[in-house]
């Protein structure tokens, strides 16, 4: 009786192995067919390019160059501000949607880094500014740089006077603070 159960287990294992191999083979075949179709599409595209559609190649090259330049710019901004590249990409998108120049965004993030240093050093002026915005120093310091920007955006929305709001934006984000106000107008929901 023991021998039969061992044979049954072996037979079951063999069935499972064959089933897995069969699915794997079908998956590899499908992948091979997709790759062949993709290669054929590339060959057709290449033939079209050789047939006189070289302007498309120029357009693609320009787009690739633009994205490479933008990636390099984000890497540089990240190094200068401490904000991650992915967050910079999202912030850059939010800036463009609100008509804010990316240079102003970079200036504001540098101003934020300087303001953060003042908060960390216990500057009475910086702590007073945070207080005016309803933000505790501990909450501000515990946040990542992009989260600090969101905290400031929310705090600035609580200031009813536009002149005071602009002054506080400049205190927290440097000279670019005023230029960033359209981007910060929706609070953290707009970022």
């Amino acid at each position: 009786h023991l021998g039969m159960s061992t044979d049954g287990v072996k037979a079951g294992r063999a069935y499972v192995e064959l089933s897995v191999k069969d699915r794997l083979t079908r998956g590899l075949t499908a992948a091979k067919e997709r790759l062949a179709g993709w290669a054929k599409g590339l060959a057709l595209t290449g033939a079209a390019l050789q047939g006189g559609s070289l302007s498309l190649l120029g357009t693609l090259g320009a787009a690739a160059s633009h994205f490479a330049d933008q990636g390099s710019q984000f890497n540089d901004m990240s190094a200068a501000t401490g904000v991650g590249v992915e967050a910079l990409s999202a912030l850059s998108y939010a800036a463009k949607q609100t008509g804010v120049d990316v240079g102003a965004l970079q200036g504001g993030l540098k101003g934020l880094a300087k303001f953060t240093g003042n908060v960390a050093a216990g500057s009475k002026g910086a702590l007073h500014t945070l207080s005016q915005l309803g933000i505790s120093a501990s909450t501000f310091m515990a946040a990542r740089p992009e989260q600090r920007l969101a905290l400031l955006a929310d705090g600035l929305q609580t200031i009813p006077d536009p002149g005071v709001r602009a002054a506080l934006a400049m205190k927290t984000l440097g000279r670019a603070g005023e230029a960033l106000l359209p981007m910060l107008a929706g609070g953290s929901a707009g970022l």
Side-chain angles (χ1 to χ4, degrees), residues 10-92:
K10 285 181 185 175
R13 185 179 300 140
Y15 175 77
V16 168
E17 286 177 13
L18 284 173
S19 173
V20 168
K21 283 180 186 176
D22 184 46
R23 275 190 241 141
L24 181 61
T25 302
R26 276 187 276 149
L28 288 173
T29 302
K32 183 178 173 185
E33 288 170 4
R34 278 193 296 255
L35 282 174
W38 183 65
K40 185 187 275 185
L42 282 180
L44 289 173
T45 302
L49 286 173
Q50 288 175 355
S53 299
L54 292 176
S55 63
L56 175 62
L57 184 59
T59 303
L60 291 174
S65 175
H66 169 74
F67 288 122
D69 289 347
Q70 194 170 35
S72 176
Q73 182 184 14
F74 286 156
N75 282 331
D76 293 346
M77 281 176 65
S78 179
T81 62
V83 179
V85 172
E86 191 173 312
L88 282 172
S89 179
L91 289 171
S92 174

Side-chain angles (χ1 to χ4, degrees), residues 69-135:
D69 289 347
Q70 194 170 35
S72 176
Q73 182 184 14
F74 286 156
N75 282 331
D76 293 346
M77 281 176 65
S78 179
T81 62
V83 179
V85 172
E86 191 173 312
L88 282 172
S89 179
L91 289 171
S92 174
Y93 178 78
K96 287 178 185 173
Q97 295 304 304
T98 55
V100 173
D101 181 63
V102 175
L105 173 63
Q106 183 174 10
L109 291 172
K110 286 181 179 179
L112 175 61
K114 183 177 179 181
F115 179 75
T116 301
N118 291 337
V119 172
S123 162
K124 287 183 182 179
L127 294 175
H128 178 69
T129 299
L130 281 180
S131 175
Q132 286 178 284
L133 295 170
I135 305 167

Side-chain angles (χ1 to χ4, degrees), residues 19 72 75 97 124 140 142 147-148 154 158 172 177 183:
S19 173
S72 176
N75 282 331
Q97 295 304 304
K124 287 183 182 179
F140 186 78
Q147 293 171 327
R148 291 178 185 139
D154 288 341
T158 66
T172 56
M183 183 177 131

